[in-house]
Amino acid sequence: MTLKEAYIQKLVKVCTETDRWSLISLSNKHGRNVELKFVDRIRRQFEFSVDSFQIILDALLFYYDCSENPMSEHFHPTVIGESMYGDFEAAFDHLRNRLIATKNPEEIRGGGLLKYSNLLVRDFQPTDKEEIKTLERYMCSRFFIDFPDILDQQRKLETYLQNHFSKEERSKYDYLMILRRVVNESTVCLMGHERRQTLNLISLLALRVLAEQNIIPNATNVTCYYQPAPYVSDGNFSNYYIANSPIPYSQSYPTWLPCS
């Protein structure tokens, strides 16, 4: 195995009329990763305040081009750090206190929905619990604009899980459950069958995670039921029904609909 195969998890290079940037994702054997993004120009500079920090290297690069004197502790160019969120102190406070804040998520590819759920599973909390409900709807709407097809959604989710939850099986399941809750409560732009299809996809991915941990016998033996609205509840039934063989939907459970 080469060093590149061992440590570099992802390489991205984007060069269009409006965007020119690249990203290197480094990971270790414990599944933790660090992403380094090198930006010349990019339309949307950040997703959330906690990832809005940038180091401006222009002065350093100019120094290398123009100066023959070596740098020292007392003689070196000034390197500036800034937050594209617009308020460095606020963004830094969000980072220290594990808070979630963003602006105009409809401008983010995918709406920032997957990153938002990732922050939640890592115990970040919204700065404004009322405003976040509105922002969640924008996140979901933009996600389904960018990934309207169920196969595109599946590929995106599987890739995200692979890139961000390697060696974190328990967190992976919790993440999918949080994502499912957000989609269930905040999606307003889909037809009913499209919404059920996406919820079914997330549920099956979560069940696959459990099956891989041998927590359930086999994901193929699970029939998933979808609850039409958050206010419908029945203490006699849970979200998942496990059986030795698939069980068709029965009219004896009127408050539940099959996911597919």
Side-chain angles (χ1 to χ4, degrees):
M1 178 181 292
T2 65
L3 286 175
K4 178 179 177 180
E5 293 171 335
Y7 293 105
I8 297 181
Q9 189 175 42
K10 180 171 59 174
L11 288 171
V12 177
K13 185 176 182 180
V14 175
C15 187
T16 67
E17 292 183 358
T18 56
D19 295 334
R20 189 163 72 175
W21 56 271
S22 61
L23 180 142
I24 302 174
S25 179
L26 306 174
S27 64
N28 62 16
K29 64 180 181 180
H30 302 296
R32 296 181 178 179
N33 70 313
V34 174
E35 292 187 349
L36 303 175
K37 182 180 285 187
F38 301 89
V39 178
D40 180 29
R41 58 179 182 268
I42 186 171
R43 281 174 295 179
R44 173 74 185 202
Q45 301 278 357
F46 69 99
E47 288 187 80
F48 295 87
S49 60
V50 293
D51 60 62
S52 66
F53 299 98
Q54 292 188 5
I55 301 173
I56 310 303
L57 298 176
D58 295 27
L60 183 64
L61 297 175
F62 181 77
Y63 180 89
Y64 281 128
D65 288 339
C66 300
S67 178
E68 297 180 356
N69 298 318
M71 283 188 290
S72 67
E73 181 181 354
H74 303 289
F75 184 76
H76 56 79
T78 300
V79 176
I80 300 173
E82 64 178 352
S83 168
M84 305 312 295
Y85 180 68
D87 187 330
F88 187 94
E89 292 300 326
F92 191 56
D93 180 69
H94 297 164
L95 184 62
R96 285 183 298 182
N97 295 292
R98 307 177 76 83
L99 298 174
I100 301 173
T102 189
K103 299 176 181 178
N104 305 321
E106 67 276 10
E107 297 176 355
I108 307 170
R109 176 165 172 78
L113 175 63
L114 303 187
K115 176 67 175 286
Y116 171 65
S117 300
N118 195 346
L119 292 174
L120 288 176
V121 82
R122 301 186 191 283
D123 296 325
F124 282 71
Q125 297 296 323
T127 55
D128 188 326
K129 293 186 178 181
E130 293 300 321
E131 181 189 28
I132 201 65
K133 293 300 181 183
T134 300
L135 296 178
E136 283 181 359
R137 289 195 287 271
Y138 283 116
M139 292 178 202
C140 290
S141 295
R142 178 59 195 262
F143 179 83
F144 291 115
I145 289 172
D146 292 330
F147 305 99
D149 183 76
I150 191 66
L151 294 179
D152 290 336
Q153 295 169 23
Q154 180 176 349
R155 282 191 290 268
K156 181 63 178 178
L157 284 173
E158 289 177 340
T159 300
Y160 193 89
L161 291 172
Q162 180 180 354
N163 289 337
H164 296 275
F165 289 91
S166 177
K167 311 296 184 182
E168 295 184 75
E169 297 306 316
R170 181 61 199 179
S171 294
K172 187 185 297 184
Y173 174 80
D174 293 339
Y175 168 80
L176 289 167
M177 289 295 94
I178 288 174
L179 176 63
R180 189 186 190 283
R181 176 187 61 77
V182 174
V183 171
N184 186 38
E185 295 178 357
S186 301
T187 298
V188 295
C189 61
L190 296 182
M191 300 290 288
H193 72 280
E194 294 173 324
R195 182 167 169 271
R196 289 193 294 271
Q197 197 174 39
T198 299
L199 292 172
N200 183 38
L201 168 64
I202 299 171
S203 296
L204 291 178
L205 288 174
L207 291 169
R208 182 196 297 174
V209 171
L210 294 182
E212 290 171 352
Q213 299 176 63
N214 294 320
I215 295 178
I216 60 175
N218 191 320
T220 60
N221 293 332
V222 176
T223 300
C224 169
Y225 290 90
Y226 160 68
Q227 192 173 8
Y231 55 79
V232 178
S233 61
D234 188 335
N236 296 322
F237 302 102
S238 63
N239 286 352
Y240 308 109
Y241 184 86
I242 302 176
N244 292 327
S245 60
I247 296 179
Y249 170 64
S250 170
Q251 293 296 328
S252 61
Y253 307 124
T255 62
W256 296 85
L257 297 175
C259 292
S260 58

